[in-house]
Amino acid sequence: MKLFAILWLMLGLVSGVDLAQAGTMDRAAMEKAFPPPLIVGEKDRDLPVWPIFKQSATSTPIVAYAFESIDMVAIPGFSGTPFNLLVALDTDGKFMDVKVLSQHEPVFLDGLGEKPLFKFVEQYTQLSVKQSIKIGSNQSGADKATSANVYIDGVAKATASVRILNQSLLAASLKVARAKMGYGAGKDPELIARIRPDVFTAMDWDGLLRAGLLTRHIFRNSDVEKAFQGTVGEGLDPEALAAPEQSLQELYFAYLDVPSVGRNLLSPADWAYLQKRLEPGDHALLVVGTGRYPVLGENFMRGTVPDRLTLGQQGLPLEMRDLDLDVRLKLPEPLADAQVNVFRVIAPAGLDPAAPLDFALLVTRSKGQIYPEVVRKALAFSAQLPGRYVEAAATDAKTWRSSWTGRWPELGVLLLGLGVLAWALREPAWLGASQRRLDLFRTGYLLFTLLFIGWYAQGQLSVVNFVALIQAVLARQSLVFFLYDPMTVLLWAFTAVTFFVWGRGTFCGWLCPFGALQELVSKLSQRLGIRQVRVSTQWDARLKKVKYFILAGILLAACVSVTWSDRLVEVEPFKTSITLNFVRAWPFVVWALLTVGLSVFFYKGFCRYLCPLGAGMSVLGRLRRFDWIQRRVECGQPCQRCRSDCAYQAIDKAGKVDYGECFQCMDCVVVYESEELCVPVFNRKRKATSQPVIPIMALPHSRLQPAATGDTP
C-alpha cells in the first residue's frame, strides 16, 4: 500500500495547479486571420467576441463575429483538454469559417494526424447554427444549405473526439448567436424538455381549453388605446373610441405537435403529414385569430416570419416561421372564418416547452400624410403548456446519448461477453477442470478481446483515461466527456467492480486488447519452438517496479504540462497497434512492434514490466476483498509446482499469490483441480495405494509429469 499512498500524495501536492484554459488570439493574430477587405473591430468587453467588418463603397457593415470556442465553452476532449476552435459566424448564423487552433486528442496527435481533423471542420462552412448538425450518413438526402437537419461525415477511429468537437462548436456558436443575433435564450437546444409523444386524451375544442392546452387571449380596443396613451397615436382609431370593450383581436394558441392537440384537431392523415414536416426537436405552433386586426399583415408571404406577431422566451426572441401547412382543422362554428396559421420553431432555436412562451402582437399607428410619425406598441400575452405533456430534460443529453443509442448492437455484444467472463471467473473450478477446456476458453476469449473489443469496437482502455481525469479535475471541467465513448465507460465500470472481487488481473488478463495480442504472440512463439527467457526472481521483482515509475511520471506530467503528458503517454503502444492498426509514422510502428516482439522471448514482457496502465490497475486492484484463488497448506511448503509453472512469476516461494501481478491465466487453478497435476493430491493418492511418493522439492521447472504406476522419481 506504500506505492498507493505515494501516488495519491503526489497528486495532492500538485492539486493546486490550475490548468484552466483561455483564448490565445490577440488583435494581431485576428487581423492575420481576417485580412483586408475585412476589418477586425474592438473585442467585446462582456463577451470575448471580435466583430468583423467589411469595407464597401459607402459603408462598413458587420459581416461576422469571430471568437475562440474555448472562451465560450470548454468541453474536455477525450484527452481531458478542450478543443480550441477559431470560429467566424456571419450575421445570419452561418459558419463563415472554422479552424482548429489547438487540440490534444490522442488519435490526432501523431496517430491519424491532423489532416482528417482539418478536413472534418471544413464541412461546417456555410452551414448554419439554425440547422441541427449531426455526424453520420445523410439518409434523408436533405440539402445542406437549406435543411434544418443536416449530416456531416465523421472520422473513422475518432468518433468520440469529433462528437466532442461538434458539441463544442455548436454550444459556443449558439452562445454567441443568442447574445449577438437574438437567438433563443440560455439553454442548449438538446438540454431542454421534450413533448411527451405517449400522452393522449380525446378532447374537443372546449376540452382543450379546460385542460390548458389552448390559451385564449382577447385584446380589447380599450387595451390598445391604453397602450398608445400619451403618444401621437392616441385617439387615432375611431372604432376603438366608439366601442372600447369590443375585441380588436381574439387569439387562440396551442402546441399543434402535442398529440392531445394535433390528433384532436387534425385528421389522422393530416397529423401524419405534420409529423413528416417537422424535424426532431421542431415545434409547430398553432395561432387562430379572429377580429379586425389580423395577425398577418396584407403583405405577408407564406413561409416567412410573421410581421405582427413575435415570440420570445426567457428574455430573448425566438424565430417562428410560417410552416405553409395545407391542412383542415376541426374548429368550432364561431371560428369557421378565423385566420389560422401554423408556425414552426426549429430545434436549434432552443425553445423549451416546459417554460412559458411570451407573445407580442405589434400594433402600428401613424399620424401625418407626407412625413407620417409612426408609433408601434406591443400587446403581450403568455402561454404555458401543462407539465403532464412534457418530459423533463435529461442532464447533458445531447453530449452523449446519441453515442450510446447509435452503438447499442456493439454494447449488447460487449455486455454479453462481460457476462460470460464474470460467470467463468465465478466458477474457477469449472474453468480449470481440464487444461484443454481452459485453453479453448481462454484462447477464444482473447480472440474476442483482440478482434471485437480492440480492433472492431475500439474499446482499448489506456493511461490516457487517467491523464484525462486529472486534467479535467484540475481545470474544473465536467467529466461528462467520458460518456462520448460508451465502450470505454462500460469496460471501466466492469473493471471497477472487478477490483473489489478479483483484482487487476480481470482486465489485464482478459479484457486488454493489447495484452491479448501479446499473449497470443507468446503462445504462437511457444508452438513454433521458441524458448522464452525466465527472468531471475531478483531481476523480475526489480523490473516489475519500472512500470510504477513510468505511471508516476505520466501522472505528474498530467498535473503540470499538457504537452509533456501527450508525449509521455506514447510509451503505450495501444494507439498504434489497436486504434490505428499499425498505420502510423514509422517510429511509433517500430516501438509497437518491439513491444509485441518482446513477448516472443519474455512472456508478456511489456505488460509485466513497462505498462503504466497495468501499474494503475495493480494499485487499484489492492481494493480486492477476496483471496479467490484457492491454495493448499502444502503450497510453497514444500510444493513449488504452481510457482515453477507461473509464467508471470506471480507466486512467491511461500506459495502465496501476488494478486497485484497476477493476470488470471488460471493455469494454477488447473493444477489445483487436477489429481494428476497437483503434487500433494497426487502423492496422497499414491500413498493411499502404498506407492512411492514424488520428492516435489527437487523437481525442475515445468518438467513435472504424472508418474506411471511403479515409477520412481
Side-chain angles (χ1 to χ4, degrees), residues 136-447:
S137 59
N138 184 358
Q139 298 177 352
S140 66
D143 180 70
K144 291 177 66 174
T146 60
S147 173
N149 194 15
V150 296
Y151 294 82
I152 59 177
D153 296 327
V155 179
K157 301 184 182 297
T159 303
S161 294
V162 296
R163 284 183 183 275
I164 295 171
L165 184 149
N166 184 64
Q167 174 67 3
S168 301
L169 174 62
L170 295 183
S173 301
L174 282 169
K175 187 172 183 178
V176 173
R178 288 168 183 138
K180 297 296 183 181
M181 306 172 200
Y183 280 58
K187 294 186 178 180
D188 187 303
E190 292 291 340
L191 305 185
I192 55 179
R194 300 292 179 190
I195 300 293
R196 292 184 60 181
D198 57 328
V199 177
F200 171 75
T201 304
M203 287 178 275
D204 59 11
W205 185 266
D206 291 335
L208 294 173
L209 282 169
R210 289 192 298 269
L213 291 169
L214 269 173
T215 299
R216 177 175 179 253
H217 192 90
I218 299 177
F219 295 103
R220 303 186 186 281
N221 290 328
S222 58
D223 299 328
V224 183
E225 282 302 313
K226 184 177 180 180
F228 282 99
Q229 189 175 4
T231 71
V232 297
E234 182 179 2
L236 296 182
D237 186 351
E239 290 188 45
L241 296 174
E245 295 305 313
Q246 290 296 316
S247 169
L248 173 76
Q249 182 64 241
E250 181 178 352
L251 291 179
Y252 295 86
F253 164 78
Y255 283 90
L256 194 59
D257 52 317
V258 172
S260 290
V261 177
R263 290 174 59 185
N264 282 313
L265 296 182
L266 298 171
S267 68
D270 286 343
W271 171 252
Y273 175 62
L274 174 65
Q275 301 304 300
K276 292 180 180 179
R277 291 290 307 275
L278 298 177
E279 299 285 354
D282 289 358
H283 292 285
L285 308 183
L286 171 66
V287 178
V288 178
T290 179
R292 63 188 182 91
Y293 188 77
V295 170
L296 304 180
E298 296 178 357
N299 297 323
F300 176 78
M301 298 179 61
R302 299 297 297 269
T304 62
V305 177
D307 52 354
R308 292 180 177 177
L309 187 67
T310 65
L311 170 65
Q313 190 175 61
Q314 299 176 338
L316 289 179
L318 295 172
E319 181 185 272
M320 60 177 182
R321 187 174 293 271
D322 179 56
L323 191 55
D324 195 11
L325 194 68
D326 186 16
V327 295
R328 184 183 297 275
L329 270 73
K330 304 171 186 176
L331 299 176
E333 185 63 30
L335 296 176
D337 296 326
Q339 186 181 51
V340 178
N341 301 99
V342 180
F343 302 101
R344 175 167 66 180
V345 178
I346 63 175
L351 185 152
D352 188 347
L357 295 179
D358 301 316
F359 290 91
L361 181 65
L362 302 180
V363 180
T364 303
R365 289 182 178 180
S366 61
K367 186 175 183 179
Q369 296 294 326
I370 300 177
Y371 297 105
E373 187 174 353
V374 178
V375 181
R376 294 183 178 88
K377 293 295 179 179
L379 307 180
F381 75 97
S382 297
Q384 173 84 56
L385 184 63
R388 68 181 295 256
Y389 298 97
V390 297
E391 178 182 359
T395 302
D396 291 329
K398 180 177 181 178
T399 56
W400 57 268
R401 180 178 293 176
S402 61
S403 299
W404 289 69
T405 55
R407 300 188 68 182
W408 68 264
E410 298 171 21
L411 298 178
V413 173
L414 176 62
L415 287 172
L416 180 61
L418 296 178
V420 170
L421 178 60
W423 176 84
L425 295 179
R426 187 175 177 273
E427 302 291 339
W430 177 88
L431 190 58
S434 72
Q435 189 67 51
R436 176 176 173 78
R437 175 182 294 177
L438 175 63
D439 289 345
L440 288 174
F441 182 88
R442 184 164 178 81
T443 301
Y445 204 93
L446 291 177
L447 288 171

Side-chain angles (χ1 to χ4, degrees), residues 109-110 554 561-571 588:
L109 292 175
D110 299 311
I554 292 174
S561 172
V562 173
T563 302
W564 271 102
S565 63
D566 288 342
R567 293 171 180 170
L568 291 178
V569 296
E570 290 296 346
V571 72
F588 299 100

